Amino acid sequence: MTPVTPPIDRDPRQRLERNKLVKRLRRQMGQAIMDYQMIRDGDRVMVCLSGGKDSYTMLDVLLMLRDAAPVKFEVIAVNLDQKQPGFPEHVLPEYLEARGVPFHIIEQDTYSVVKRVVPEGKTMCGLCSRLRRGALYSWAEANGYSKIALGHHRDDIVATFFLNLFFNAKLAAMPPKLKSDNGKHIVIRPLAYVREADIIEYARIAQYPIIPCTLCGSQDQLQRVQVRKLMSDWEKTHPGRIEHIFAALQNVAPSQLADAKTFDFAGLDVGFDGGAALGNWLKSDSSTATEADDAA
């Protein structure tokens, strides 16, 4: 398969900028794959292609890297047709056939399930993503694909961090690589180091046939929409802030936080005079109070 080549531009400055963009995408994606050991020799990689700018770009750059990689791996594009009304079923097959990319379309009516189960006006993302994930995982397992590639980029990872922080009281984001809960799948996010702005520009140059989401993507009241607006405002007033926040996710200091399950704060006293006496002091107080009550 031949990767998308930016159209020839007579303006040398624009041509230079476009070449720099392609090189940056390849470098950042390749670095993420190396840093997290996302792909190994002999892997069969299932690229989840939604028809959006992110997954198109991921597929395109991954195929560029495959052609130059020191290891051999297989790539297939897989789309889940959720049977949304008006979904242009012909777009992805025609695009992938023209590009010579192996692909498979999974047909599963998750749209009707989500519309039936989720009350009008409520967020559909949770149920929709679970159903979509289940269908993709099942197909990967049945067909022997060792890695599942998702198109989440750096801005998605930072946004998820803030969603968990603001609404779930939890420090968590999207890891670049993870093992599924059932232990059967390795999920990778090769675009983890890539800015959304660069993906937008690359998709514009490549002129991908974008398919908009008419389900969750149409809900303007989503918490994620609010968080992304906050991030956009930050980037305008403080350029580089999102990059620093992502860097912080790679530089975690558990001893400087407050999670006793992650860091052994209790063990800090071991070896100090009086440390052993700390013990269960709350339990001791409780015992003393009980004895006093009994005496009364």
Side-chain angles (χ1 to χ4, degrees), residues 49 69 100 103 105 110 118 157 191:
L49 190 67
F103 71 93
I105 307 296
T110 60
V118 179
I157 293 173
L191 294 175

Side-chain angles (χ1 to χ4, degrees), residues 241-256:
R241 175 172 286 187
I242 303 305
E243 183 178 352
H244 280 86
I245 293 170
F246 181 79
L249 296 178
Q250 299 177 291
N251 187 27
V252 179
S255 65
Q256 306 303 302

Side-chain angles (χ1 to χ4, degrees), residues 11 31 44 48 69 72 149 152 189 211 214 218 228 253 261:
D11 187 334
Q31 191 64 54
R44 305 183 74 208
C48 299
K72 293 183 178 180
H152 299 117
R189 296 184 169 97
I211 302 175
T214 57
S218 62
R228 292 304 292 269
K261 300 186 295 297

Side-chain angles (χ1 to χ4, degrees), residues 108-148:
Q108 185 170 318
D109 189 2
T110 60
Y111 178 87
S112 296
V113 175
V114 172
K115 295 294 286 185
R116 183 178 68 252
V117 173
V118 179
E120 189 69 29
K122 296 296 183 179
T123 301
M124 303 176 187
C125 287
L127 177 59
C128 181
S129 63
R130 286 194 299 273
L131 293 173
R132 186 170 62 248
R133 186 164 57 243
L136 292 169
Y137 283 13
S138 295
W139 193 89
E141 182 180 359
N143 291 274
Y145 282 87
S146 52
K147 300 289 172 64
I148 299 174

